[in-house]
Amino acid sequence: MKFEVTILGSSSATPIFNRNPTAQVVNVNDKLYLVDCAEGTQQQMLRFDVKPSRIDHIFISHLHGDHYLGLVGLLSSMHLNGRKKSLKLFCPEPLKDIIEIQLRYSETTLNYNIEYVFTDATQRSLIFENQDVCVETIPLDHRIPTTGFLFKQKKRLRKLIKERVEEIGIPVPYYTAIKRGADYEAPDGTTYKNDDITTAPASPKSYAYVSDTKYNEKYFKQISGATLLYHEATFMHDMLDRANQTHHTTALQAGEIANITKAERLLIGHFSARYKTLNEILEETQSVFTNTELAVEGKTFVISE
């Protein structure tokens, strides 16, 4: 099952040095989920061939402008382009007022319905689930209520060994039960063990999106073992005092968090505008967690195929 993330923006508070503020698209089995929507996100979607019509779910981590100021424009464009199907918006509750006041004073009535699901930054919650993935909020430690989002693949059914099934002559109506782990008893009384006619599916993968936060162990357990961990790394460690003051994380701390939580891979992003180039930030993180990459805009990171 396809599971990947494409970076649309990796800057922090302002667009600078050809970096846009935060936005990402998570693709799970060809369903697209937009995570944060900073100013300029629509342009980035055009640039990297992400079609807004394919997005039915949007997740907003918090109400600092570099994470949501592109949203009203995107919603308006969806309206102008004739969208009819409903859209689910997972967000802090005040965002509904922000959206509605802008629509009210522009005398705009959207052609489609926005279904709001309000997040609670004080506790971990399951906020979305379908046949492919479930999404939990990750309570974080920022200056205002903020959540990350944990995308976890659903456990897949076992896979039939086609040649063996055909050889035995197992009727199709038995396939679902066998995929769920049942043995097969043939009409002649022969029992075929499930392990002999199926193979185990790949272990479910996960993507942890850790938005703006100060280093705080309270969320470490929840993100433990992430297949891919995205973690903000706004400053280098010589700016630790500034990071603590603004409730952000340093590049060194992001690497330490990946080590502690036993992440398989680490992406770092949300870079301060003070850094024109990012090599030193990457090197600092890699000094404690080697398997680290920069959240480069336009790049797609595969979690599973």
Side-chain angles (χ1 to χ4, degrees):
M1 181 176 73
K2 181 182 287 187
F3 189 11
E4 60 190 28
V5 58
T6 299
I7 307 301
L8 301 180
S10 63
S11 184
S12 55
T14 59
I16 196 164
F17 305 128
N18 295 315
R19 299 195 301 264
N20 273 44
T22 302
Q24 304 182 0
V25 173
V26 178
N27 183 331
V28 183
N29 210 18
D30 287 325
K31 293 183 175 65
L32 303 187
Y33 304 85
L34 180 63
V35 181
D36 280 337
C37 186
E39 178 186 1
T41 295
Q42 287 191 81
Q43 288 290 337
Q44 295 293 82
M45 293 171 78
L46 287 168
R47 182 181 177 192
F48 301 122
D49 195 28
V50 176
K51 293 178 172 56
S53 60
R54 294 183 59 197
I55 293 174
D56 297 329
H57 303 82
I58 299 177
F59 299 81
I60 302 296
S61 62
H62 66 295
L63 296 183
H64 280 156
D66 56 323
H67 292 260
Y68 84 91
L69 281 181
L71 181 60
V72 171
L74 177 60
L75 298 177
S76 298
S77 292
M78 288 177 169
H79 165 74
L80 292 172
N81 289 326
R83 183 186 181 99
K84 300 295 183 184
K85 59 181 176 177
S86 180
L87 182 143
K88 274 196 171 182
L89 179 55
F90 304 81
C91 62
E93 186 170 359
L95 184 54
K96 182 178 181 182
D97 292 337
I98 294 170
I99 292 170
E100 289 184 346
I101 197 169
Q102 295 191 63
L103 295 176
R104 183 185 314 137
Y105 284 101
S106 66
E107 298 185 8
T108 300
T109 301
L110 297 178
N111 295 322
Y112 59 93
N113 180 56
I114 297 176
E115 188 177 332
Y116 290 90
V117 178
F118 299 130
T119 54
D120 180 353
T122 67
Q123 60 182 347
R124 168 182 179 174
S125 301
L126 176 66
I127 57 172
F128 176 74
E129 185 174 16
N130 63 15
Q131 70 273 17
D132 296 321
V133 68
C134 60
V135 183
E136 299 175 359
T137 54
I138 306 170
L140 299 175
D141 182 357
H142 196 40
R143 292 192 296 110
I144 64 173
T146 302
T147 67
F149 300 104
L150 178 62
F151 289 76
K152 298 193 296 185
Q153 278 183 329
K154 290 288 190 69
K155 185 177 181 181
R156 311 303 286 178
L157 298 177
R158 296 182 67 84
K159 297 181 181 180
L160 298 174
I161 302 173
K162 184 178 178 181
E163 297 80 5
R164 186 69 174 135
V165 166
E166 291 176 350
E167 177 189 341
I168 297 168
I170 300 175
V172 171
Y174 289 87
Y175 285 5
T176 299
I178 293 170
K179 288 179 180 180
R180 295 183 184 278
D183 298 332
Y184 172 68
E185 184 174 339
D188 65 2
T190 304
T191 298
Y192 296 90
K193 294 295 185 182
N194 191 270
D195 286 345
D196 295 331
I197 53 179
T198 67
T199 58
S203 299
K205 309 299 182 183
S206 62
Y207 176 57
Y209 171 81
V210 179
S211 177
D212 299 21
T213 187
K214 184 178 180 180
Y215 183 103
N216 189 324
E217 294 182 359
K218 71 178 184 179
Y219 59 89
F220 287 10
K221 182 178 180 181
Q222 185 181 1
I223 66 172
S224 179
T227 309
L228 180 62
L229 167 63
Y230 168 87
H231 203 289
E232 73 123 290
T234 307
F235 300 104
M236 293 187 67
H237 206 66
D238 61 351
M239 301 280 300
L240 178 60
D241 288 344
R242 178 64 176 162
N244 287 334
Q245 178 187 359
T246 57
H247 283 241
H248 284 297
T249 307
T250 69
L252 186 71
Q253 287 175 322
E256 291 172 343
I257 291 165
N259 263 329
I260 293 168
T261 63
K262 295 180 170 53
E264 293 184 22
R265 296 161 60 203
L266 172 64
L267 282 181
I268 53 172
H270 200 265
F271 308 114
S272 168
R274 71 182 61 244
Y275 303 110
K276 188 170 184 178
T277 61
L278 303 174
N279 289 340
E280 289 184 350
I281 293 178
L282 178 62
E283 290 171 1
E284 180 172 279
T285 310
Q286 288 179 332
S287 71
V288 290
F289 190 81
T290 305
N291 199 11
T292 301
E293 296 181 75
L294 297 171
V296 176
E297 296 180 12
K299 186 170 181 179
T300 296
F301 297 87
V302 175
I303 302 163
S304 72
E305 297 179 280

